[in-house]
Amino acid sequence: MTFQQHASLKPFNTFGIPATADRLGRFSNVDELRGLLASPEVKGAPLLILGGGSNILFTQDFHGTVLLNEIPGMVVVRENEDHVWVRAGAGVTWHSFVLHCVANGWGGVENLSMIPGKVGAAPMQNIGAYGVEIKDTFDTLEALRIADGEVISFDKEACAFGYRESFFKRAGKERYVILNVTFRLSKRPVLNTSYGNIQQELERMGIAQPTLRDVSDAVIAIRRSKLPDPAVIGNAGSFFKNPVVPQEVADRIKAEHPDTVSYPAGPGLAKLAAGWLIERAGLKGYSLGTHGVHDRQALVLVNRGGANGHEVYALSEHVLRTVKEKFGVELEREVNIL
Ligand code: FAD
Ligand code: EPU
């Protein structure tokens, strides 16, 4: 097992932050992973498992070992008349998994097209978009417990999925390496086109009877129109979560700003659109030269080139403070800060 010493992490985070890791290794199966974890330089030192690096902000160099997960493979493990169970290696690119499902006519993940990153990170924050979350098709996952190298199976309940939440972001944080995820997909897909402007986009495309592919294409087109491409402008998608607040807080804001964007979020609760709050706090397009708030989606912080992680973090503090002052609402970061 060899490590690259003092390795640049810039190619491995979509913010394009120029941090370094003391050691960088790669694994493409569980035996390689166990071998790396057993090496003397890894034991006792900080450890970070990295997928596509699309939900992470390095605010400093990482003084420990970074392991890049490259476990491949997609296989049908079971099927019946209605469903197919597909297991994907944690190192498979999420979008290629989605395209594989779409090409085979398996429904359930098409609305999650073009989310960056790898399959292994998808359960971490229960990735979601356009009215769908992975918990809707999730069946099980296998993860290696770092403390003793045991492989443990987790069902949906054990994963404790919530909005951008899971067991692996809370009690299980930094204790497991996700190895593979099994999804239950539908052979008789019911398309979900009601969210956002998917229906509008399909109409614009001249499609009346959409297929899985059409929905995937519509989602891709909408995402391209709003979200910056990390290959061009460094970013990690939504930097903050949409805050869930007591209904009376949403009502108070609505009384002052009738165009407030909010959604029902369970009894007595409302989810506010953080992008709207940030825009109305006057920060959409806010620029500090090298970095700033995206001008088409205020929920996205961007590195236009040359910013370090500390500067982007300081900007996130400014956004938090400004929104709190203007609306009395506390935003929570979605991106993992290191
Ligand atoms: P990484 O950034 O590499 O890792 C994220 C966290 O998971 C880290 O803490 C890491 O240590 C941990 N981790 C990664 N792999 C493993 C593993 N195998 N085992 C244990 N821990 C692991 N997210 C959404 O939910 N919806 C969206 O619509 C969305 N849109 C985005 C758009 C853009 C342009 C960008 C840049 C990001 C977007 N994201 C979105 C965020 C991001 O794509 C997801 O969170 C994605 O799942 C991160 O995957 P990754 O492999 O890049 O994870
Ligand atoms: N809005 C504004 N100004 C902005 C941005 C948004 O007013 O600058 C308003 C929009 O007009 C709309 C509402 O806020 O009425 C919601 O906007 P959008 O549909 O763009 O979605 P979002 O709530 O900002 C969430 C997810 C995205 C996901 C999209 C689509 C979170 C934190 N973000 O964004 O996920 O792709 O919905 O479903 O829940 C991510 O997690 O990284 C991510 C990109």
Side-chain angles (χ1 to χ4, degrees):
M1 299 288 163
T2 54
F3 291 105
Q4 193 186 333
Q5 308 290 333
H6 194 68
S8 168
L9 294 172
K10 195 171 175 184
F12 305 118
N13 74 94
T14 60
F15 252 122
I17 298 295
T20 60
D22 288 0
R23 278 171 302 281
L24 181 75
R26 299 163 188 264
F27 61 95
S28 49
N29 59 54
V30 69
D31 293 330
E32 286 178 11
L33 173 62
R34 285 199 177 105
L36 289 166
L37 293 176
S39 35
E41 52 278 58
V42 172
K43 284 188 155 184
L47 176 70
L48 176 69
I49 308 299
L50 210 49
S54 64
N55 205 19
I56 217 155
L57 176 68
F58 291 107
T59 57
Q60 53 192 319
D61 291 336
F62 189 76
H63 294 299
T65 307
V66 171
L67 296 181
L68 297 175
N69 156 37
E70 296 179 342
I71 299 176
M74 288 185 271
V75 8
V76 171
V77 288
R78 196 175 138 199
E79 62 186 305
N80 63 24
E81 251 178 56
D82 298 324
H83 292 102
V84 56
W85 283 255
V86 183
R87 185 171 65 217
V92 171
T93 301
W94 173 260
H95 186 55
S96 64
F97 169 68
V98 171
L99 292 181
H100 180 71
C101 295
V102 167
N104 281 284
W106 304 328
V109 287
E110 58 283 356
N111 292 39
L112 303 175
S113 293
M114 227 174 93
I115 296 181
K118 297 196 171 176
V119 165
M124 295 296 298
Q125 69 159 12
N126 177 29
I127 56 169
Y130 299 96
V132 172
E133 293 180 327
I134 67 144
K135 73 165 171 33
D136 305 327
T137 48
F138 178 92
D139 183 62
T140 47
L141 66 76
E142 287 187 312
L144 178 134
R145 187 163 56 203
I146 295 170
D148 59 6
E150 282 289 306
V151 173
I152 319 269
S153 183
F154 288 78
D155 63 11
K156 199 188 285 193
E157 205 188 336
C159 290
F161 290 125
Y163 165 60
R164 299 293 190 273
E165 277 299 342
S166 78
F167 165 78
F168 299 98
K169 251 184 124 170
R170 298 281 164 191
K173 192 174 159 91
E174 291 167 12
R175 290 172 50 211
Y176 294 90
V177 182
I178 296 170
L179 302 171
N180 59 65
V181 186
T182 302
F183 297 89
R184 190 189 76 148
L185 301 152
S186 175
K187 288 183 177 175
R188 305 174 201 275
V190 178
L191 303 180
N192 178 348
T193 60
S194 59
Y195 187 93
N197 41 356
I198 298 184
Q199 194 56 47
Q200 244 171 292
E201 183 60 31
L202 288 167
E203 279 161 26
R204 200 195 56 78
M205 289 157 66
I207 291 161
Q209 302 283 324
T211 61
L212 287 174
R213 161 78 59 193
D214 296 328
V215 173
S216 171
D217 286 348
V219 167
I220 290 172
I222 298 168
R223 294 181 66 96
R224 284 209 171 111
S225 73
K226 288 189 183 179
L227 293 164
D229 176 357
V232 183
I233 303 176
N235 76 93
S238 301
F239 200 92
F240 306 95
K241 294 184 190 183
N242 287 325
V244 175
V245 299
Q247 185 63 50
E248 55 267 26
V249 173
D251 292 343
R252 169 181 54 77
I253 298 173
K254 222 169 214 159
E256 254 185 75
H257 308 271
D259 62 336
T260 303
V261 183
S262 78
Y263 322 90
L269 298 171
K271 192 191 265 187
L272 298 171
W276 183 92
L277 293 169
I278 298 169
E279 179 172 345
R280 284 314 183 91
L283 290 172
K284 192 172 188 171
Y286 177 69
S287 177
L288 289 160
T290 54
H291 58 296
V293 178
H294 189 48
D295 49 14
R296 271 180 286 157
Q297 210 332 340
L299 206 37
V300 178
L301 302 189
V302 292
N303 174 13
R304 297 207 174 80
N308 64 38
H310 184 70
E311 290 166 331
V312 175
Y313 185 80
L315 170 62
S316 75
E317 293 274 270
H318 177 64
V319 173
L320 283 172
R321 251 193 331 269
T322 311
V323 167
K324 173 87 181 161
E325 275 164 23
K326 168 113 180 136
F327 296 106
V329 171
E330 200 101 41
L331 295 182
E332 190 190 337
R333 292 178 183 87
E334 175 191 303
V335 170
N336 298 280
I337 309 294
L338 275 162

